[in-house]
Amino acid sequence: MHKLSRLASALLLGALISFPAAAQKAASGAVATVNGVAIPQTVANAFVAEQKAQGAPDTPELKNAVREELIRRELLVQEAKKLNLDKQPDVSAQADLARQAIFIRAFVQDFVKKHPISDQDLKAAYDKMKTQMGNTEYKVRHILVEQEDEAKTIIANLKKGAKFDELAKQSKDPGSKDKGGDLGWNSTASYVKPFGDAVGSLSKGKYTETPVKTDFGYHVILLEDSRPLTAPPFDQIKPQLAQRLQQEQIQRYVNDLRAKAKVQ
């Protein structure tokens, strides 16, 4: 049996207690009328659909819980309006943002439905991904510093026998400095081009003897090991590819709208 969502579960007891009242007919087209204000059935339907999407079973108990929640919300909205909170600029702005988010979500859902990604596009994206990944992945460590001279000093110390993981403590990369500069296993395509090119040119156990410059700073890179890389099967990665292509498609549409828009 599916569990009700957290909201529905929290409200279920109160809704069951008030079941006789809930069963009474409200105004036409409304799920309830609170102090003369009708709550449209369409609002209740949307709320129920949201709960079902989160795993709640479609039961009379759920509908009663949603009805009770909407009644309580309406009561709080009425109290807020009595205090003129709806007229406060920051509250009004938040309401506008929430309304925008709803419209945007509806647009994206409609756009995705009308512009499905074809299997041909998915296969082309998969082939491109495999080409970019290459056939090898690398276990890499690096030390990132601000200035080229700092990187040169690190390289000089490595040549004198200093330990890479000890020198990595001075790295400005917070994600790897406390792990000896370890970046784990990745293909060269996972890195920015200068970094990836440097990794691909190294032999196992070797480090870059000249600093590698990227937009992040200067790197000293150590290649610990390499191994063959096999791309995941197409069917396994197909959902992620579809999501990525949909996002790119929407982004292109938004960029086109932005280019054509008259903005002052």
Side-chain angles (χ1 to χ4, degrees), residues 55-240:
D58 188 4
T59 62
E61 289 81 7
L62 173 62
K63 291 182 173 64
N64 290 332
V66 166
R67 181 180 186 275
E68 181 62 23
E69 168 66 2
L70 292 176
I71 290 170
R72 295 180 185 186
R73 287 188 177 203
E74 177 58 35
L75 287 169
L76 290 175
V77 168
Q78 291 178 18
E79 290 301 303
K81 288 181 177 179
K82 287 178 185 177
L83 298 173
N84 291 319
L85 296 178
D86 57 319
K87 295 180 173 60
Q88 292 185 2
D90 58 332
V91 174
S92 179
Q94 291 178 49
D96 288 340
L97 288 173
R99 187 176 180 82
Q100 281 184 351
I102 293 168
F103 285 135
I104 291 169
R105 182 174 66 178
F107 168 78
V108 169
Q109 291 173 343
D110 182 72
F111 186 92
V112 168
K113 183 178 180 180
K114 292 178 178 177
H115 300 84
I117 304 298
S118 69
D119 283 343
Q120 183 179 355
D121 289 338
L122 288 171
K123 191 64 170 62
Y126 177 72
D127 292 339
K128 182 179 179 181
M129 181 202 73
K130 286 201 302 181
T131 300
Q132 291 175 336
M133 287 176 59
N135 301 316
T136 308
E137 63 178 346
Y138 303 87
K139 192 173 190 307
V140 174
R141 292 180 185 267
H142 85 136
I143 302 170
L144 174 63
V145 291
E146 194 73 39
Q147 303 297 327
E148 185 177 13
D149 286 343
E150 295 177 82
K152 288 181 177 179
T153 299
I154 290 169
I155 293 169
N157 288 331
L158 286 171
K159 290 181 178 180
K160 293 176 184 178
K163 299 294 185 181
F164 196 96
D165 55 350
E166 286 297 321
L167 294 175
K169 292 178 180 178
Q170 60 190 285
S171 176
K172 69 170 191 171
D173 176 10
S176 67
K177 64 181 296 183
D178 295 328
K179 299 185 294 183
D182 188 11
L183 294 176
W185 289 93
N186 292 286
S187 69
T188 55
S190 302
Y191 302 113
V192 293
K193 192 173 186 339
F195 194 106
D197 289 346
V199 170
S201 68
L202 287 171
S203 300
K204 180 178 175 179
K206 300 296 184 180
Y207 55 83
T208 50
E209 297 193 8
T210 56
V212 178
K213 186 179 185 305
T214 70
D215 291 341
F216 302 102
Y218 291 86
H219 307 257
V220 180
I221 305 168
L222 169 66
L223 174 60
E224 288 195 312
D225 203 355
S226 63
R227 65 189 183 190
L229 173 62
T230 302
F234 174 68
D235 288 340
Q236 178 181 326
I237 202 170
K238 186 176 178 180
Q240 292 92 328

